[in-house]
């Protein structure tokens, strides 16, 4: 080959080939099926077996779920309807008549029917109060004031009584704050904090009743009272769970900080409390709240059973919450603490502005898991005589009309708890994405 010919031959293409559509078997639904379900002979066999198993399960579950027994007034009528359809046996069909007949009781227990508007209003106001806390950037910031007063509105709506009682309870916080500010001027922060707590406790234990009674005698305003024994159903589980969740988080933060404190007495108290609570089953604490606690109370003391259960559930959750938050604090690099010191921040400023926000972001999965576990553990109150949904299901099955009903009641209760727990887990994932807590 001559040199001239070698210089005229091109080895690099100077034009692009026209684009071609990908093969139909590599894109779309068919491509996804080939790549994920039928990528080889072994995966193809597993896919066919799985599809057969799913078909077998659905062929049993779907007819059971769509059973036309909503109008039945007893289990006998359900069986008669199913027999006419030719669907007899244990898996012939569900008896949904029990849900139609008792769903209100499963939700509200024995709460007076003419007062159902009060728990419904409390639930609606709860959504309003949580909006600035959970979705602060999407709602008006002024709603945070309503979030602050909602803890005093909710018990008044549910239990009723004089309107002056929640007002005086809120006044106790103001008394404690005033005492804190007065002592902080001349004494240390710790002494001022102790004085504020003591002042608030004195107000709540000794002055709240006489003061609220005096105002009520002058201006009687209130709602019809409801006894705690009338509480029940899913409303009871929500009440215990929401209050315990709301209080256990700040209490867990305090316990976690106390466990890492350099003050020996404070650290010993926090460690002892956390280890003791974590070493005792929740059901034991509930038994203590329902029976043994009355032994140590002064004669004639009327300590509400639901309040006792809420206190024990809160203490139980706060101990686990403290360990979750302590893990978040331990995960922070030492440089964060040193950076706070270099800025001249004191202990509380460093915790509020630098340390605790990062620790809480790291601990979001553990915090939400603790919340979900606590909410599910509210079903244990049925063991001490409170009629939560599980306790009511036992009472419903004792009725001769519904004796033998199991799956329908438990399925309905499981659906209620699943909706709440699934919502919490979805919000946890949303919050993690929003704060970018994961590794990128």
């Amino acid at each position: 080959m001559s040199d001239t010919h070698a210089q005229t031959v091109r080895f690099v293409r100077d034009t692009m080939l026209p684009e071609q559509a990908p093969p139909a078997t590599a894109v779309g639904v068919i491509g996804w099926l080939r790549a994920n379900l039928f990528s080889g002979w072994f995966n193809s066999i597993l896919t066919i077996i799985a599809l057969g198993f799913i078909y077998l399960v659905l062929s049993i579950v779907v007819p059971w779920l769509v059973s036309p027994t909503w109008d039945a007034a007893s289990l006998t009528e359900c069986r008669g309807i199913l027999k006419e359809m030719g669907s007899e046996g244990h898996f012939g069909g569900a008896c949904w008549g029990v849900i139609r007949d008792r769903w209100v009781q499963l939700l509200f227990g024995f709460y007076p029917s003419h007062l159902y508007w009060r728990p419904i209003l409390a639930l609606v106001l709860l959504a309003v109060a949580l909006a600035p806390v959970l979705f602060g950037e999407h709602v008006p910031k002024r709603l945070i004031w309503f979030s602050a007063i909602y803890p005093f509105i909710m018990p008044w709506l549910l239990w009723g009584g004089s309107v002056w009682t929640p007002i005086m309870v809120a006044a106790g916080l103001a008394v404690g704050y005033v005492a804190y500010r007065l002592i902080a001027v001349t004494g240390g922060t710790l002494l001022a904090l102790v004085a504020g707590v003591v002042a608030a406790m004195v107000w709540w234990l000794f002055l709240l009743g006489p003061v609220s009674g005096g105002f009520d005698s002058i201006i009687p305003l209130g709602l019809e009272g409801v006894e705690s024994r009338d509480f029940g159903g899913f409303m009871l589980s929500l009440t215990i769970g929401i209050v315990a969740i709301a209080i256990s988080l700040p209490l867990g933060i305090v316990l976690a900080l106390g466990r890492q404190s350099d003050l020996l007495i404070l650290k010993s108290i926090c460690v002892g409390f956390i280890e003791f609570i974590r070493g005792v089953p929740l059901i034991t604490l509930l038994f203590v709240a329902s029976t043994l606690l009355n032994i140590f109370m002064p004669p004639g003391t009327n300590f509400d059973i639901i309040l006792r259960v809420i206190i024990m559930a809160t203490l139980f959750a706060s101990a686990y919450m403290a360990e979750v938050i302590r893990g978040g604090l331990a995960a922070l690099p030492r440089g964060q603490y040193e950076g706070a010191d270099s800025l001249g921040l004191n202990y509380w400023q460093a915790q509020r502005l630098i340390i605790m926000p990062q620790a809480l972001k790291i601990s979001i999965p553990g915090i939400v898991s603790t919340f979900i576990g606590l909410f599910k553990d509210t079903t244990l109150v049925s063991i001490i005589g409170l009629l939560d949904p599980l306790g009511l299901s036992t009472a419903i099955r004792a009725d001769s009309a519904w004796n033998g009903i199991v799956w329908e009641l438990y399925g309905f209760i499981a659906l209620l708890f699943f909706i709440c727990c699934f919502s919490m887990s979805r919000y946890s994932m949303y919050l993690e994405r929003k704060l970018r807590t994961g590794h990128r």
Side-chain angles (χ1 to χ4, degrees):
M1 181 180 297
S2 64
D3 296 339
T4 303
H5 180 72
Q7 294 175 359
T8 60
V9 176
R10 297 180 178 179
F11 293 94
V12 180
R13 183 182 296 277
D14 58 356
T15 59
M16 296 296 294
L17 291 175
E19 294 184 0
Q20 297 182 359
T25 58
V27 295
V29 177
I30 297 178
W32 184 89
L33 292 175
R34 286 174 59 89
N36 295 277
L37 301 181
F38 299 96
S39 58
W41 67 269
F42 184 71
N43 283 347
S44 300
I45 294 176
L46 290 180
T47 299
I48 295 173
I49 294 175
L51 291 175
F53 178 76
I54 292 173
Y55 173 78
L56 177 64
V57 172
L58 292 179
S59 64
I60 297 175
V61 173
V62 173
W64 188 83
L65 291 175
V66 299
S67 174
T69 55
W70 287 97
D71 295 328
S74 65
L75 181 59
T76 303
E77 290 188 20
C78 287
R79 291 172 176 171
I81 295 173
L82 294 175
K83 185 176 182 181
E84 292 178 359
M85 296 178 54
S87 301
E88 297 185 71
H90 186 68
F91 293 102
C95 184
W96 297 120
V98 65
I99 304 301
R100 180 194 59 81
D101 186 42
R102 299 298 183 95
W103 72 272
V104 175
Q105 186 179 14
L106 287 172
L107 292 180
F108 297 100
F110 299 101
Y111 205 85
S113 59
H114 65 285
L115 299 178
Y116 283 165
W117 65 270
R118 282 162 49 176
I120 294 175
L121 179 60
L123 184 61
V124 173
L125 294 180
L126 173 66
V128 177
L130 288 178
V133 178
L134 303 181
F135 309 99
E137 69 278 8
H138 303 298
V139 297
K141 294 183 178 180
R142 294 181 179 179
L143 278 179
I144 196 67
W145 292 103
F146 181 77
S147 302
I149 65 175
Y150 178 78
F152 307 100
I153 297 176
M154 187 191 75
W156 179 62
L157 282 175
L158 294 180
W159 277 272
S162 173
V163 71
W164 298 108
T165 300
I167 293 177
M168 292 302 109
V169 172
L173 296 177
V175 170
Y177 178 75
V178 171
Y180 170 81
R181 297 296 298 179
L182 292 176
I183 302 299
V185 175
T186 57
T189 303
L190 181 59
L191 180 61
L193 183 62
V194 173
V197 173
V198 171
M201 295 300 296
V202 170
W203 174 270
W204 288 329
L205 293 176
F206 302 104
L207 300 178
L208 187 147
V211 174
S212 62
F215 276 98
D216 188 57
S217 62
I218 299 173
I219 308 176
L221 295 174
L223 296 173
E224 179 182 344
V226 179
E227 298 291 336
S228 293
R229 64 173 178 269
D230 295 330
F231 281 58
F234 198 64
M235 182 189 70
L236 177 62
S237 297
L238 280 176
T239 302
I240 298 174
I242 290 172
V243 176
I245 285 173
I247 301 177
S248 63
L249 179 58
L251 187 57
I253 293 174
V254 173
L255 289 172
L257 294 177
R259 182 159 190 166
Q260 292 191 331
S261 174
D262 295 330
L263 300 176
L264 180 59
I265 297 178
L266 180 61
K267 181 176 182 178
S268 301
I269 293 175
C270 292
V271 171
F273 173 83
I274 293 172
E275 297 301 330
F276 173 76
I277 295 296
R278 293 177 67 218
V280 178
L282 177 58
I283 187 61
T284 303
L285 299 177
L286 294 180
F287 273 119
V288 170
S290 62
T291 57
L292 297 180
L293 199 59
N294 285 335
I295 300 176
F296 302 99
M297 300 298 294
T301 302
N302 185 17
F303 199 176
D304 189 87
I305 179 62
I306 296 181
L307 179 59
R308 284 181 272 165
V309 170
I310 289 176
I311 292 174
M312 289 300 179
T314 302
L315 296 179
F316 182 81
S318 64
Y320 285 86
M321 191 67 64
E323 289 300 282
V324 171
I325 296 173
R326 187 172 69 90
L329 292 171
L332 290 181
R334 185 63 188 173
Q336 298 296 321
Y337 296 89
E338 295 174 351
D341 294 336
S342 66
L343 293 175
L345 302 178
N346 60 33
Y347 177 80
W348 294 110
Q349 289 175 333
Q351 292 294 335
R352 180 172 61 89
L353 299 175
I354 297 179
I355 305 302
M356 193 53 63
Q358 298 183 74
L360 291 178
K361 286 193 295 183
I362 296 173
S363 306
I364 285 175
I367 291 174
V368 176
S369 296
T370 304
F371 286 166
I372 293 174
L374 173 62
F375 185 67
K376 292 188 295 184
D377 285 342
T378 58
T379 55
L380 293 174
V381 300
S382 61
I383 301 177
I384 60 174
L386 293 180
L387 295 178
D388 75 314
L390 289 182
L392 284 175
S393 67
T394 303
I396 292 172
R397 288 187 290 111
D399 188 348
S400 59
W402 304 112
N403 190 10
I405 292 288
V406 178
W407 291 99
E408 294 83 351
L409 289 172
Y410 289 152
F412 180 71
I413 296 170
L415 177 63
L416 295 177
F417 277 92
F418 174 78
I419 292 173
C420 294
C421 296
F422 184 75
S423 300
M424 285 190 279
S425 67
R426 293 299 96 181
Y427 177 78
S428 170
M429 297 178 64
Y430 157 79
L431 194 60
E432 288 184 54
R433 291 193 299 268
K434 173 185 171 183
L435 301 177
R436 297 179 182 179
T437 57
H439 296 286
R440 292 183 295 175

